[in-house]
Amino acid sequence: MLTPAPRPGRPLFPTRFAWGAATSAYQVEGSPLADGAGPSNWHRFTHSPGRVLTGETGDVACDHYRRWRDDVALMRELGLTAYRFSVSWSRVLPTGAGAVNPKGLDFYRRLVDALCEAGIAPFVTLFHWDLPAALDDRGGWLNRDIAGWFAEYAEVMFRALDDRVAWWATLNEPWVVSDGGYLHGTLAPGHASPFEAPIASHNLLRAHAAALQAYRAAGRHEIGLVVNLEPKSASSSDPADLAAAARSDAYMNRQFLDPVFLGAYPDDLAEVFGEAWPSFAASDLAEIRQKIDFLGINYYTRGVMHHDPAAWPVSAAKVTQPDSVYTEMEWEVYPQGLRETLLWVRERYGDVPIYITENGAAFPDGVATDGAVSDSLRTAYLRDHLLAAHAAMQGGVDLRGYFVWSLLDNFEWNHGTSKRFGIVHVDFATQQRTPKDSARFYAEVIRTNGAVIGVSEG
Ligand code: IFM
């Protein structure tokens, strides 16, 4: 951690900095089949026995589909200036393509209207992992046609909301979809194949590019991509560990950014996937390499890697750091890594505007009898990462905003509700929302533009 804590002082962030919190459709909305919505692959996955560790589904989650008004009021109370959420593709297009479900679209229209009225800028992500089940039946991310399906859906959303939504993201964390969904099978759709994962990644990128093209024709604002990044270093100077760190970096960090910014996959991926690595058409890569208006970075932790032939597919595993704090996800708390990551992106890919689109931590929180939720570890995590973000800005990074993950405790995918990331506690039995101490802290950061954690002039 960055200690000691600085004393309050000057504002650290520019006045137009976006101060937000993020959620995603399947994790908060609930009511997955309401008002004509079609099922998603996540609905199917969570309803298959053994897929979610707690046996839960996202059928209710935070019931945000029905409680969105209260949730927008809560955001306003906290002083958020931006809210990042995702659209459920199968709510809007129940079979993924073709007929639009007007009631599904209206939900997002009303939400965006309420946000704008509250002075909160909507940041909309088009795909945060929940794919229409009907498209999964047609091969999902393994079918090349998905680029066209995604562009069609994106156009529906642009037409409906681009007059009020000024920031769009195509995909959230394509690496996780490919790695968890197609390589290891721990996330939907639950496939485990080294042959499928590179194809899924490639089609995710093609879909991103197709939506970008559609936006250039129809949209008037900004569109970008959201990736999750972790700095990877070697646990020793042994060449085997150095190579392990480089492979991990190529697999997780460069697999998506190199094609988007440089028009080619990292060479190391052929080594990682071996015979499963396909050859990709140069014309695809030319389409994928299109200018984005901003890059969204989700940052949680780092990886100190050592060579481990058993760790598939990169033959590299993380080494536990005995002096570090770990979150409930077993992720090392390493704020400096956020600064390193932001500077690395600038150095490797150039001066692209950046939003930190997710940053946060799961820790066990209890609600006290007086209704308070003391979460000092999360508060320290947020403070230290904000300081690291500011340090990156001082190093020349064009950082435009920061989104806490997450606004609410929510449905953490295959962990169910067992991991709480929210700055607002959710009692899943009653749906009662209780802002945690970290929410009060974050509200104060926003109110003072960072002065509460800033460097004193005195
Ligand atoms: O909950 C997820 C989110 O959906 C994507 N980024 C990481 C978060 C924490 O695991």
Side-chain angles (χ1 to χ4, degrees):
M1 303 225 176
L2 300 179
T3 48
R7 289 166 292 146
R10 269 179 285 129
L12 289 180
F13 295 87
T15 39
R16 292 177 66 86
F17 196 77
W19 288 111
T23 64
S24 87
Y26 192 77
Q27 293 182 270
V28 298
E29 286 178 1
S31 307
L33 304 179
D35 300 328
S40 70
N41 63 343
W42 263 97
H43 180 71
R44 207 178 246 179
F45 190 77
T46 59
H47 282 260
S48 308
R51 293 303 202 172
V52 176
L53 300 170
T54 57
E56 293 165 288
T57 70
D59 286 5
V60 178
C62 303
D63 200 20
H64 175 73
Y65 188 71
R66 299 189 308 147
R67 294 169 193 263
W68 58 273
R69 280 188 197 81
D70 294 345
D71 290 338
V72 172
L74 185 57
M75 292 178 218
R76 188 181 204 162
E77 261 170 57
L78 296 177
L80 300 191
T81 65
Y83 174 51
R84 174 175 179 247
F85 63 95
S86 77
V87 173
S88 159
W89 185 343
S90 57
R91 221 183 257 301
V92 175
L93 288 149
T95 58
V100 171
N101 173 30
K103 287 189 176 167
L105 200 49
D106 279 350
F107 168 68
Y108 296 106
R109 281 206 179 95
R110 284 194 296 268
L111 176 60
V112 164
D113 284 347
L115 289 166
C116 293
E117 254 166 53
I120 300 168
F123 279 59
V124 176
T125 302
L126 292 168
F127 177 74
H128 194 128
W129 306 359
D130 47 338
L131 182 74
L135 296 185
D136 210 21
D137 290 339
R138 296 165 76 181
W141 291 106
L142 302 174
N143 186 332
R144 276 185 70 84
D145 290 348
I146 199 161
W149 301 331
F150 187 61
E152 177 191 330
Y153 153 59
E155 274 172 26
V156 170
M157 297 313 304
F158 299 152
R159 272 199 301 275
L161 297 179
D162 193 54
D163 57 342
R164 284 153 293 158
V165 171
W167 291 273
W168 296 89
T170 53
L171 311 175
N172 180 72
E173 301 183 359
W175 179 77
V176 177
V177 177
S178 167
D179 180 76
Y182 289 88
L183 188 88
H184 293 292
T186 49
L187 304 176
H191 300 191
S193 160
F195 287 88
E196 290 186 1
I199 295 171
S201 295
H202 189 66
N203 285 330
L204 281 153
L205 282 170
R206 289 182 50 250
H208 155 78
L212 218 62
Q213 261 168 16
Y215 194 71
R216 296 298 173 223
R220 294 185 296 123
H221 300 106
E222 298 192 5
I223 187 159
L225 170 71
V226 173
V227 290
N228 54 316
L229 301 178
E230 281 182 14
K232 303 288 188 186
S233 58
S235 61
S236 80
S237 55
D238 184 326
D241 292 335
L242 291 167
R247 281 194 305 276
S248 307
D249 178 54
Y251 178 55
M252 184 168 182
N253 299 325
R254 289 182 275 126
Q255 179 175 185
F256 293 89
L257 293 184
D258 274 16
V260 167
F261 287 103
L262 310 176
Y265 286 103
D267 289 339
D268 332 37
L269 292 183
E271 186 195 337
V272 168
F273 284 100
E275 57 164 353
W277 184 248
S279 66
F280 295 109
S283 53
D284 284 359
L285 284 155
E287 272 175 27
I288 290 167
R289 186 186 195 178
Q290 277 179 65
K291 180 182 169 292
I292 53 176
D293 300 317
F294 66 88
L295 180 66
I297 295 178
N298 296 351
Y299 176 82
Y300 290 91
T301 187
R302 69 162 167 178
V304 179
M305 312 305 295
H306 78 120
H307 179 64
D308 178 355
W312 188 65
V314 280
S315 300
K318 285 187 182 178
V319 176
T320 303
Q321 303 300 300
D323 296 331
S324 292
V325 173
Y326 279 76
T327 72
E328 274 209 305
M329 300 294 280
E330 294 174 18
W331 296 345
E332 184 192 356
V333 176
Y334 188 68
Q336 299 93 310
L338 176 56
R339 177 176 163 275
E340 288 166 22
T341 298
L342 295 170
L343 291 172
W344 172 79
V345 165
R346 180 167 187 259
E347 191 185 310
R348 184 168 178 84
Y349 302 113
D351 206 4
V352 58
I354 292 177
Y355 291 88
I356 296 167
T357 33
E358 288 181 24
N359 177 237
F363 289 115
D365 310 305
V367 186
T369 40
D370 61 359
V373 185
S374 154
D375 60 342
S376 51
L377 284 173
R378 183 174 294 101
T379 302
Y381 181 102
L382 297 182
R383 184 199 63 212
D384 292 344
H385 284 79
L386 284 165
L387 288 169
H390 181 258
M393 289 171 80
Q394 285 185 313
V397 171
D398 182 3
L399 184 65
R400 309 258 175 113
Y402 173 92
F403 292 78
V404 172
W405 184 270
S406 176
L407 176 68
L408 303 170
D409 289 337
N410 59 45
F411 183 81
E412 177 58 24
W413 306 112
N414 56 340
H415 296 279
T417 58
S418 66
K419 309 288 182 210
R420 294 178 175 271
F421 277 90
I423 55 171
V424 173
H425 181 274
V426 175
D427 178 333
F428 290 103
T430 62
Q431 290 296 338
Q432 163 101 28
R433 274 75 161 137
T434 308
K436 303 178 190 178
D437 288 354
S438 59
R440 312 261 174 237
F441 162 78
Y442 189 48
E444 200 51 19
V445 170
I446 298 172
R447 197 183 64 75
T448 63
N449 252 328
V452 69
I453 55 166
V455 181
S456 167
E457 291 185 273

